[in-house]
């Protein structure tokens, strides 16, 4: 779509801000929903996070990718975590810096325009121009159209991670020259209307290159209130809801007209430490970090806070993925914690920890967008109290705006780690120097050196091995405390077929051509 003027964008932003609050309160049903549901095979879907704009390259949630209206050059298999050709039929490179992408022929945008190398280059350039995160993730230095279906891309340096980063939901391919404000992509469904304060109505794209979708229409809304999503399903307003609240799962599972589908997720809840704040001397002390880690009752958190809908984690890549490190022993308990605190140079007497004769006080941030995180903070706070450490819990309204201020010691946090094929995106964004997600400003030259070597490694097997070695190093140094991998769930009516619950919402379509309703 053609980009609006600065004033228009400002007005759109104001409207988006107002609409987010409305969307959080709404049930996802409206007059236009009723109109849409009057059509044959119309499916109503309620996800969690609304779009803040209709611009696919700037939207801060994955609503547009999830809609099935847009696609990326490279896809990501949810079962194997392997990348696969999508709008790019293939690609090749001799040095991981100069790339040639061979685009799929016969693909059209929703407005009938053919998907050419010129169009793809314009789309990628737009995503880079308007989104610094995409620019940093792709590191594209230049692009050149070779022929109608061949695009040459040169990255700023040797960059094997380019392919996996093209999965980014803001790197979707759209016709940026299209008129209007609706995203014009190449997917199985196209936007008929898109009100970020209410709903998006999509209809089947009869010219879809990969076969015709089974549904005629989809009405998609978002509501951050898990109870509201569940009520929408139970009342019949929704056919599918993504991520019902954990407390509602037994009720939904007992309803014979509904199906609850649960898969292991690809994010890890963890404690992130602040290595550059007021207590940097403590967090840069390995024994102190091990003492805090020993206060984390992982199994209790899985059993109580997570209701069993999670698995225990001890490192950044838990599980049996090719790049997962061996699970090492992590001590748990007050006695183990006290031994580490004493080894860290703190005073330990009568089962309590002090520093320079004074009680130790720490500030632990958390946020409610993921309801389990404040509860995890309370459990850690209770354990710390047993050894005399006072942890003040601060609930941030916007955690990603709060953390850069640096006024915190640790935070209950959630990140996608088991992601994008070989973990490159997570490792670089969470541990790289000045990286966006390195909120604790960890600065370890050895770790940075390992990342630099990894980022230049081209061989797939060697990258996998280096990923594992970096994960082992992070575990050995006790950088942060990795706690649990939450499951991802969806609930839907028994009339729905073809639904596949994704391991996370950021890297996959949810509305697909195979989705159907009877």
């Amino acid at each position: 779509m053609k980009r609006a003027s600065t004033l228009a964008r400002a007005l759109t932003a104001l409207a988006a801000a107002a609409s987010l609050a409305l969307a959080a309160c709404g049930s996802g049903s409206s007059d236009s929903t009723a109109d849409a549901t009057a059509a044959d095979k119309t499916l109503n879907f309620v996800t969690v996070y609304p779009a803040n704009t209709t611009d696919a390259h700037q939207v801060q949630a994955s609503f547009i990718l999830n809609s099935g209206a847009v696609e990326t050059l490279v896809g990501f298999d949810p079962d194997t975590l392997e990348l696969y050709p999508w709008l790019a039929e293939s690609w090749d490179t001799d040095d991981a810096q100069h790339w040639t992408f061979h685009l799929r022929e016969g693909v059209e945008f929703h407005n009938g325009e053919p998907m050419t190398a010129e169009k793809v280059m314009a789309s990628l350039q737009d995503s880079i121009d308007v989104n610094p995160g995409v620019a940093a993730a792709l590191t594209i230095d230049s692009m050149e159209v070779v022929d109608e279906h061949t695009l040459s891309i040169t990255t700023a340096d040797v960059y094997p991670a380019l392919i996996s980063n093209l999965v980014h939901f803001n790197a979707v391919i759209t016709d940026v020259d299209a008129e209007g404000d609706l995203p014009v992509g190449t997917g199985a469904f196209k936007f008929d209307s898109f009100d970020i304060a209410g709903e998006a109505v999509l209809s089947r794209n009869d010219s879809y290159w990969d076969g015709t979708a089974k549904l005629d229409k989809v009405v998609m809304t978002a509501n951050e209130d898990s109870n509201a999503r569940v009520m929408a399903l139970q009342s019949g307003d929704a056919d599918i809801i993504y991520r019902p609240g954990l407390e509602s799962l037994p009720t939904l599972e007992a309803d014979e007209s509904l199906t609850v589908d649960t898969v292991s997720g690809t994010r890890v809840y963890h404690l992130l430490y602040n290595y550059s704040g007021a207590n940097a001397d403590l967090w840069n002390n390995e024994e102190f970090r091990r003492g805090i880690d020993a206060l984390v009752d992982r199994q209790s958190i899985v059993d109580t806070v997570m209701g069993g809908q999670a698995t225990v984690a001890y490192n950044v890549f838990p599980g049996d993925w090719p790049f997962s490190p061996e699970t090492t022993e992590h001590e748990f308990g007050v006695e183990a914690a006290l031994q580490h605190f004493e080894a860290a140079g703190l005073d330990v007497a009568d089962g309590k920890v002090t520093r320079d004769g004074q009680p130790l006080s720490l500030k632990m941030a958390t946020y409610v967008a993921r309801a389990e995180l404040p509860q995890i903070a309370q459990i850690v706070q209770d354990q710390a109290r047993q050894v005399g450490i006072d942890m003040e819990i601060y609930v941030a309204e916007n955690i990603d705006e709060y953390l850069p201020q640096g006024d915190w010691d640790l935070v209950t946090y959630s990140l996608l780690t088991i992601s994008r094929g070989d973990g490159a995106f997570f490792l670089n964004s969470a541990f790289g120097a000045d990286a966006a997600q390195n909120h604790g400003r960890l600065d370890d030259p050895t770790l940075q050196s390992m990342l630099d070597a990894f980022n230049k490694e081209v061989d797939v097997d060697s990258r996998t091995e280096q990923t594992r070695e970096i994960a082992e190093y992070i575990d050995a140094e006790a950088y942060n405390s990795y706690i649990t991998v939450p499951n991802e769930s969806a609930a839907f009516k028994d009339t729905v077929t073809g639904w596949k619950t994704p391991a996370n919402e950021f890297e996959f379509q949810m509305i697909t051509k195979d989705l159907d309703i009877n």
Side-chain angles (χ1 to χ4, degrees):
M1 65 182 170
K2 291 185 176 177
R3 203 162 301 288
S5 67
T6 302
L7 175 59
R9 287 200 300 272
L11 293 173
T12 300
L14 289 172
S19 68
L20 287 175
L22 292 173
C25 299
S27 66
S29 181
S30 69
D31 292 343
S32 56
T33 301
D35 293 340
T37 52
D40 290 339
K41 293 213 172 188
T42 296
L43 181 139
N44 290 276
F45 172 52
V46 185
T47 187
V48 180
Y49 297 109
N52 62 320
T53 171
T54 62
D55 189 330
H57 295 156
Q58 297 192 75
V59 65
Q60 295 175 358
S62 52
F63 188 99
I64 296 175
L65 174 65
N66 299 154
S67 73
V70 293
E71 299 169 304
T72 50
L73 292 179
V74 179
F76 185 45
D77 189 300
D79 297 321
T80 65
L81 298 192
E82 292 181 354
L83 305 171
Y84 65 86
W86 202 355
L87 291 179
E89 203 163 38
S90 64
W91 51 84
D92 50 72
T93 179
D94 292 328
D95 57 6
Q97 184 174 12
H98 301 85
W99 303 78
T100 301
F101 287 84
H102 305 281
L103 305 179
R104 194 175 296 279
E105 298 185 23
V107 178
E108 292 183 352
F109 291 101
H110 297 148
N111 56 5
E113 289 288 323
M115 185 196 74
T116 62
E118 194 76 42
K119 290 285 188 183
V120 171
M121 184 173 71
S123 178
L124 290 174
Q125 189 60 56
D126 184 74
S127 65
I128 292 168
D129 290 344
V130 303
N131 190 324
V134 174
L138 301 184
T139 70
I140 291 177
D141 180 65
S142 63
M143 292 184 281
E144 182 180 355
V145 173
V146 178
D147 59 37
E148 187 175 4
H149 295 102
T150 307
L151 179 65
S152 172
I153 294 178
T154 300
T155 50
D157 202 344
V158 174
Y159 193 53
L162 172 66
I163 301 303
S164 63
N165 284 346
L166 285 170
V167 174
H168 198 295
F169 67 83
N170 289 129
V172 295
I173 303 303
T174 64
D175 184 356
V176 295
D177 295 321
E179 298 288 344
D181 294 329
L182 299 178
V184 177
T186 57
F189 292 89
K190 56 185 178 182
F191 284 95
D192 291 339
S193 64
F194 190 177
D195 178 2
I196 59 174
E199 63 187 24
V201 179
L202 301 108
S203 62
R204 182 176 57 216
N205 172 19
D206 290 325
S207 300
Y208 184 49
W209 62 271
D210 196 26
T212 305
K214 297 175 179 176
L215 294 170
D216 295 291
K217 282 189 178 292
V218 174
V219 180
M220 185 169 168
T221 57
N223 197 316
E224 296 184 52
D225 185 336
S226 63
N227 291 325
R229 295 196 298 277
V230 170
M231 289 176 63
L233 180 66
Q234 292 175 320
S235 68
D237 286 344
D239 297 297
I240 306 174
I241 61 171
Y242 181 59
R243 197 179 292 152
L246 295 177
E247 70 286 357
S248 69
L249 293 183
T251 300
L252 297 176
E253 289 169 341
D255 190 329
E256 294 183 352
S257 68
L258 302 175
T259 296
V260 176
D261 187 44
T262 299
V263 299
S264 182
T266 55
R267 66 175 59 250
V268 179
Y269 288 173
H270 58 282
L271 294 179
L272 176 63
Y273 305 147
N274 189 351
Y275 302 92
S276 61
N279 288 309
D281 58 324
L282 293 176
W283 298 111
N284 284 287
N285 185 318
E286 179 185 332
E287 289 292 346
F288 182 77
R289 298 194 297 269
R290 292 194 179 283
I292 293 296
D293 187 77
L295 294 174
V296 179
D297 188 350
R298 292 172 168 82
Q299 191 60 57
S300 175
I301 289 170
V302 167
D303 293 341
T304 58
V305 175
M306 306 303 296
Q309 295 294 325
T311 54
V312 165
Y314 293 100
N315 58 65
V316 295
F317 299 128
D320 56 359
W321 304 104
F323 44 82
S324 295
E326 291 291 329
T327 300
T328 60
E329 180 181 0
H330 283 237
E331 302 166 289
F332 167 68
V334 168
E335 290 304 319
L338 289 173
Q339 290 175 12
H340 286 297
F341 289 138
E342 189 166 27
L346 297 173
D347 301 318
V348 174
D350 299 326
K352 305 297 181 186
V353 180
T354 58
R355 179 168 61 171
D356 300 329
Q358 299 297 319
L360 193 58
S361 296
L362 301 173
K363 185 175 183 179
M364 179 163 50
T366 188
Y367 54 105
V368 299
R370 294 192 175 273
E372 302 86 10
L373 294 179
Q375 299 176 58
I376 293 174
Q378 290 178 342
I379 288 180
V380 175
Q381 180 190 50
D382 290 342
Q383 287 293 122
R385 188 177 293 119
Q386 293 186 42
V387 297
I389 298 177
D390 177 56
M391 288 191 180
E392 173 198 359
I393 295 178
Y394 177 81
V395 181
E397 184 173 346
N398 185 320
I399 194 66
D400 289 323
E401 291 181 359
Y402 172 73
L403 292 181
Q405 300 174 28
D407 181 28
W408 52 280
D409 287 294
L410 66 168
V411 54
T412 57
Y413 205 56
S414 169
L415 280 179
L416 292 177
T417 69
I418 315 163
S419 180
R420 307 277 183 90
D422 61 8
F425 180 78
F426 163 72
L427 290 174
N428 282 292
S429 62
F431 293 100
D434 300 322
Q437 301 287 356
N438 186 359
H439 295 295
R441 295 294 158 224
L442 174 64
D443 183 13
D444 180 335
T446 300
L447 179 55
Q448 186 60 55
S449 177
M450 296 174 76
L451 283 173
D452 291 342
F454 168 65
N455 288 333
K456 293 183 181 301
E457 179 57 62
V458 178
D459 181 75
V460 173
D461 292 337
S462 294
R463 285 179 64 82
T464 299
E465 178 60 28
Q466 290 186 33
T467 303
R468 187 185 307 112
E469 291 173 357
I470 292 171
E472 290 171 348
Y473 180 79
I474 292 169
D475 184 37
E477 294 295 319
Y479 286 142
N480 309 324
S481 185
Y482 296 87
I483 301 172
T484 183
V485 179
N487 293 339
E488 294 288 351
S489 298
F492 49 90
K493 295 177 181 176
D494 277 351
T495 51
V496 172
T497 60
W499 169 262
K500 189 172 184 62
T501 303
N504 67 70
E505 68 268 44
F506 293 105
E507 295 168 324
F508 308 99
Q509 290 183 331
M510 295 190 190
I511 305 301
T512 68
K513 68 182 179 66
D514 299 320
L515 197 56
D516 201 358
I517 188 168
N518 299 313

